[in-house]
Structure formats: structure tokens, C-alpha cells
Amino acid sequence: MKTRIIMILMLLAGMTLQARQPGIKVRFLGTGAADWNGVDERGEHRRCSSILVDGEVLVDLTAESLEMIPEGCNPKVIFYTHSHNDHFDPEAALKTGVERVYVGATWFERARSRFHDASASLGLPMPQIIPLDTQECVSEHGLFFTALPANHATSDLHEQALIYLIEKEGVRVLYATDTGGLMADATQGIGIDAHKNPGRPIHGFIMEATMGMDGDEDFRIFAHSSVNTVLRTVHVLQKTGRYTPAEGQAAYLTHMARTLHGTQAELDATLPEPLKAAYDGLEVIFTK
């Protein structure tokens, strides 16, 4: 009897420790680039790239990704990376009941105008629109989001696209889309640049791979990344102790172009470790 009680107490202690283990839960609502338009001839489907963090905060959102938000989940906050239509859709955001919207300060007025028009058209409440400078950090629902510069351009020459460092209880996850590699200013803001030794490592890595393994010679390389770009980045960060994932944790690819990638099964079979292609609906918990 005494042995049984001890075993039960040990089990309960283990369950408590597991429940308290810090982590950041990411649900991929979409993992495709702008050239996707529903199910393709292969039977594959990737919605526009977007994530839901801890069931509370969205990063980017389009209309087709609304169906990927779990039932009963009502995120009230959204962070945008930039103004391209495959990432920025005010109408879709308003339909979630969003209350706070974060956008880059360089296109704040344009974003507020778009939301104002969408609010009037749909008859839905206007959310608070909040400008973000690069290197600025804000807290939402126990998560810290740091806005960092991306290597990406829009038709507005003054707009600075963003990527985000997401942190909670010591766990640090980088979400980098759209960007052609990681800019020096961004790596400095994260704490993983060459001037920090070893700096502050990240534990989760999500990066766009618009182009496939042979994509380095595609014209999109000036504003996007390829599988090889991501692979080299991950290897360098691992070798220098700047990326220290939990054992068995993959580095995830997103924003994959329909015309430049194989099927999910083909990607699963051919991507070199530690890379893994995310897919719509995938949920990952990043820990240290």
C-alpha cells in the first residue's frame, strides 16, 4: 500500500512538472506563398501563411485561413508582418472580433485607413491600430513580441516589412516570413549575431522557404528565402550555439510556393535534417 501511494505521488508530481513546463504553442493556419489558390492538381492545399500563438495571438491572417482557427478560439490580437494581400486582410481580421492590431510604423496610416473602410463596410467595430518600430517589444497574453526588420519589399518604398521574435518564460521562437535571409539588424535584435558570443540562443525556428532546394537562382531570392538559405542559416546558428532546440525539435519551413515545391509527402521524404515542412493545421509546442 505504501509503495502504491509513493508511485501515485511520483506520477502526480511528474504531471505537475509537465503542466508547468514553459513552452510556446504554434498552430500553422497557412503555410503557402501567394501563388496558391485552393487545392491544386496534385490534391495539395496550402493557405496563405499565418500562425496562431498559444491560442491567443495571430500573426498575419487571410480569409481562407479563418476556417483553420479552432472552434471556440477567439483571438483578439493580431500582428502583421507587412501589407501584401496574402498576409494582410482587414476584413478577415474583423470577422475574428480582433480588438488590437499591430503593424509596422512605416505603414501605420495606410493600415488604419484600410481597417476603417473594412469596419464601415462590414458594420463591425473598429479595432485599435498600434504602430510598431523595429526593435520594439510589446507584451500580449503573457507573450513578448519583438518587431525586427525583414529583407522584403512592397510597392510602398517606405514600408519596412517585419519578422517577429516571440518569447515566453525563457523560451524564444523566431517567426521569419517574408524575408530573404536574416538581416544583420534583425540578428542583433534577437541576440544571435556575430558580435554576441554566444549571445542569447533561440529555441524555436520557423522561416519561410518560398523557393525549393534549387531556388537560389530564382528571381525571388532578392526578397525571399530558399530551402538552402534556411538550411545554411540553421547550421550556422547551431554550430555557434545560437540555436539550441529541444531534443528532436525540427526547424520548420513555411510560405512555400506551389510552383517551386513538391508535395508534403515528397518534402517529408527529401528535406535534410533538421528541416521539416510545416503544413496547414500543424500544431507545435516549442520548449527549451
Side-chain angles (χ1 to χ4, degrees):
M1 182 68 176
K2 183 177 180 181
T3 302
R4 185 178 179 184
I5 292 173
I6 292 173
M7 290 178 66
I8 292 172
L9 290 173
M10 290 175 64
L11 178 62
L12 290 173
M15 290 173 65
T16 302
L17 180 62
Q18 184 177 22
R20 291 179 179 175
Q21 185 181 27
I24 297 175
K25 181 179 180 180
V26 172
R27 178 180 175 87
F28 291 88
L29 305 181
T31 55
D35 61 353
W36 283 87
N37 184 22
V39 180
D40 71 4
E41 66 281 358
R42 304 168 299 180
E44 297 282 302
H45 187 195
R46 293 189 188 276
R47 296 159 184 84
C48 295
S49 292
S50 171
I51 58 171
L52 174 66
V53 187
D54 276 1
E56 300 282 1
V57 181
L58 293 159
V59 181
D60 293 338
L61 185 71
T62 59
E64 63 174 358
S65 296
L66 288 172
E67 64 185 3
M68 299 304 294
I69 297 176
E71 186 176 355
C73 180
N74 298 292
K76 302 298 183 184
V77 181
I78 183 166
F79 287 80
Y80 284 109
T81 57
H82 62 296
S83 65
H84 278 153
N85 290 337
D86 59 321
H87 296 261
F88 177 66
D89 184 341
E91 290 81 3
L94 290 174
K95 290 176 182 177
T96 70
V98 67
E99 296 175 353
R100 289 183 300 286
V101 173
Y102 292 88
V103 300
T106 55
W107 62 288
F108 164 71
E109 293 294 347
R110 183 157 47 90
R112 185 167 62 177
S113 177
R114 286 280 303 277
F115 263 94
H116 180 272
D117 292 346
S119 175
S121 174
L122 296 176
L124 293 173
M126 176 74 177
Q128 182 183 11
I129 313 297
I130 305 166
L132 277 178
D133 291 318
T134 56
Q135 311 295 341
E136 184 176 356
C137 179
V138 297
S139 176
E140 285 285 357
H141 296 279
L143 296 155
F144 291 89
F145 286 78
T146 301
L148 300 158
N151 179 24
H152 192 67
T154 70
S155 59
D156 179 356
L157 295 178
H158 300 289
E159 180 180 341
Q160 173 61 66
L162 301 174
I163 60 177
Y164 289 100
L165 175 67
I166 308 168
E167 300 176 272
K168 185 179 77 173
E169 298 177 353
V171 178
R172 312 177 80 228
V173 177
L174 178 63
Y175 183 70
T177 183
D178 297 4
T179 184
L182 298 179
M183 296 176 64
D185 287 355
T187 61
Q188 288 178 348
I190 300 165
I192 57 173
D193 68 301
H195 300 89
K196 306 287 185 180
N197 192 18
R200 296 184 61 204
I202 55 175
H203 312 104
F205 193 94
I206 305 168
M207 190 169 177
E208 69 125 302
T210 301
M211 297 159 289
M213 287 295 293
D214 301 322
D216 285 341
E217 295 186 4
D218 186 276
F219 75 93
R220 280 163 278 201
I221 196 67
F222 298 111
H224 289 285
S225 298
S226 68
V227 171
N228 281 324
T229 304
V230 180
L231 185 62
R232 289 196 302 268
T233 302
V234 168
H235 281 170
V236 169
L237 293 177
Q238 283 185 312
K239 288 177 182 178
T240 59
R242 289 165 170 80
Y243 171 47
T244 58
E247 184 176 356
Q249 180 69 71
Y252 288 91
L253 305 181
T254 191
H255 202 271
M256 289 164 280
R258 179 185 63 81
T259 54
L260 299 175
H261 285 279
T263 63
Q264 182 70 37
E266 290 169 340
L267 288 166
D268 289 342
T270 60
L271 281 175
E273 292 186 353
L275 304 187
K276 183 174 179 60
Y279 55 84
D280 298 10
L282 172 67
E283 291 189 348
V284 179
I285 298 177
F286 294 96
T287 60
K288 290 206 260 188

